[in-house]
């Protein structure tokens, strides 16, 4: 190997040392990492929750966090980076304690989502993926919050705030920045921080999954109609036989 080959390797080795977690952080996270990996028949399948685990440590997925994941799974840093940069739930830089996502997909947009996002940008003085100077709020626009029946919807650390307006959304972020108690429309009675939410997404239960109302309003309208009319779902073990024409068409 010539000098041109060895010099970059030496430089890279020095950089690797600087980009690893401190020993005490690694020692603290390793038992959780092993617990996560043990859930899967193939250990590399544990990468997504492992990324949430390292995000719960720093609030974002750093190079050190990705290297920790790579070491735990026996895969390359490039493989981890390819996943971490694909999914928007992983931050690539430090952010606020509360991730405020405004849905700007079709239904929320026409119901006022675009107006809400524009008003929050002006109110907070930040744009998409921007964080307020106090480090409390990171603002983002989301493509869909999967809650169209409550449009327009805002999410904070993945908890729902339904039927929002520009004024209610501004009051919401003000309360977050002031440290006031804030309760989601559905779900737990209070909000956790972004780091705490990341740990839950890593698969460590915080005991609050069953709190509060999980579904309401328009989400249950079809169920209410079915109950009033005595409708039930077909029994999979007793479905009507298909005629040959239907089978042939398929």
């Amino acid at each position: 190997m010539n000098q041109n080959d060895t010099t970059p390797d030496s430089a890279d080795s020095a950089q690797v040392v600087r980009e690893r977690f401190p020993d005490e952080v690694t020692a603290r996270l390793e038992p959780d990492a092993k617990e996560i990996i043990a859930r899967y028949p193939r250990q590399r399948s544990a990468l997504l929750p492992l990324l949430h685990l390292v995000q719960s440590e720093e609030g974002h997925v750093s190079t050190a966090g990705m290297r920790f994941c790579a070491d735990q799974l026996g895969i390359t840093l490039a493989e981890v980076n390819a996943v971490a940069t694909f999914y928007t739930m992983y931050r690539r830089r430090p952010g606020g304690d509360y991730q405020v996502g405004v849905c700007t997909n079709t239904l929320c947009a026409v119901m006022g989502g675009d107006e809400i996002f524009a008003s929050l940008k002006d109110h907070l003085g930040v744009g998409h993926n921007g964080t307020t100077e106090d480090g409390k709020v990171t603002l983002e626009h989301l493509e869909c919050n999967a809650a169209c029946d409550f449009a327009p919807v805002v999410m904070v650390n993945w908890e729902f705030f339904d039927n929002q307006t520009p004024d209610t959304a501004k009051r919401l972020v003000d309360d977050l920045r002031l440290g006031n108690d804030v309760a989601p429309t559905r779900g737990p009675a209070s909000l956790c921080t972004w780091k705490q939410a990341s740990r839950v997404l890593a698969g460590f239960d915080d005991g609050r999954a069953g709190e509060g109302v999980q579904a309401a309003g328009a989400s249950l309208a079809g169920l209410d109609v079915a109950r009033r009319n005595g409708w039930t779902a077909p029994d999979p073990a007793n479905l009507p036989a298909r005629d040959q024409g239907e089978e042939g068409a398929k």
Side-chain angles (χ1 to χ4, degrees):
M1 186 177 290
N2 61 38
Q3 181 65 27
N4 289 333
D5 292 328
T6 58
T7 302
D9 289 346
S10 300
D12 183 65
S13 297
Q15 185 71 4
V16 167
V17 174
R18 291 195 298 269
E19 292 180 348
R20 292 185 182 276
F21 279 149
D23 290 343
E24 65 89 15
V25 173
T26 298
R28 178 160 42 78
L29 291 182
E30 276 186 337
D32 289 339
K34 293 186 187 314
E35 180 179 335
I36 291 171
I37 294 169
R39 301 171 191 159
Y40 297 89
R42 295 185 61 195
Q43 67 176 28
R44 68 181 298 137
S45 299
L47 178 54
L48 295 181
L50 277 181
L51 286 167
H52 284 298
L53 177 66
V54 298
Q55 184 163 255
S56 74
E57 177 67 26
E58 298 184 290
H60 68 291
V61 178
S62 66
T63 301
M66 289 191 290
R67 198 174 295 281
F68 174 86
C69 294
D71 290 344
Q72 296 299 310
L73 297 175
I75 60 179
T76 67
L77 182 62
E79 290 175 294
V80 178
N81 184 65
V83 174
T85 56
F86 181 83
Y87 293 101
T88 58
M89 291 179 73
Y90 302 118
R91 288 179 179 168
R92 295 307 316 282
R93 61 188 182 192
D97 293 332
Y98 300 99
Q99 183 96 1
V100 176
V102 182
C103 183
T104 55
N105 211 337
T106 307
L107 185 56
C108 278
V110 300
M111 295 292 288
D114 286 338
E115 184 181 358
I116 290 172
F117 185 68
S119 69
L120 288 181
K121 284 174 61 179
D122 291 341
H123 187 66
L124 296 172
V126 298
H128 173 59
N129 279 337
T131 301
T132 53
E133 291 184 357
D134 57 10
K136 294 293 185 181
V137 171
T138 296
L139 179 66
E140 68 172 338
H141 69 77
L142 299 175
E143 285 304 308
C144 184
N145 280 333
C148 299
D149 43 344
F150 295 101
V153 177
V154 172
M155 294 194 88
V156 181
N157 294 350
W158 312 119
E159 299 292 353
F160 289 104
F161 291 81
D162 303 323
N163 301 309
Q164 293 293 295
T165 67
D167 287 340
T168 61
K170 286 187 283 190
R171 284 198 297 272
L172 169 61
V173 296
D174 286 347
D175 283 338
L176 293 174
R177 298 182 74 183
L178 291 170
N180 296 334
D181 292 336
V182 174
T185 308
R186 292 172 283 135
S190 61
L191 283 173
C192 60
T193 66
W194 174 258
K195 289 183 179 180
Q196 291 167 337
S198 294
R199 182 167 175 81
V200 172
L201 291 171
F204 296 97
D205 186 13
D206 66 354
R208 304 193 305 161
E211 288 184 8
V213 175
Q214 304 299 311
S219 298
L220 301 178
L223 182 60
D224 291 338
V225 171
R227 286 173 173 168
R228 288 198 303 269
N229 288 278
W231 298 340
T232 59
D235 180 358
N238 190 29
L239 295 176
R242 297 179 186 219
D243 60 34
Q244 294 299 315
E246 288 180 333
E247 292 294 335
K250 296 190 76 170

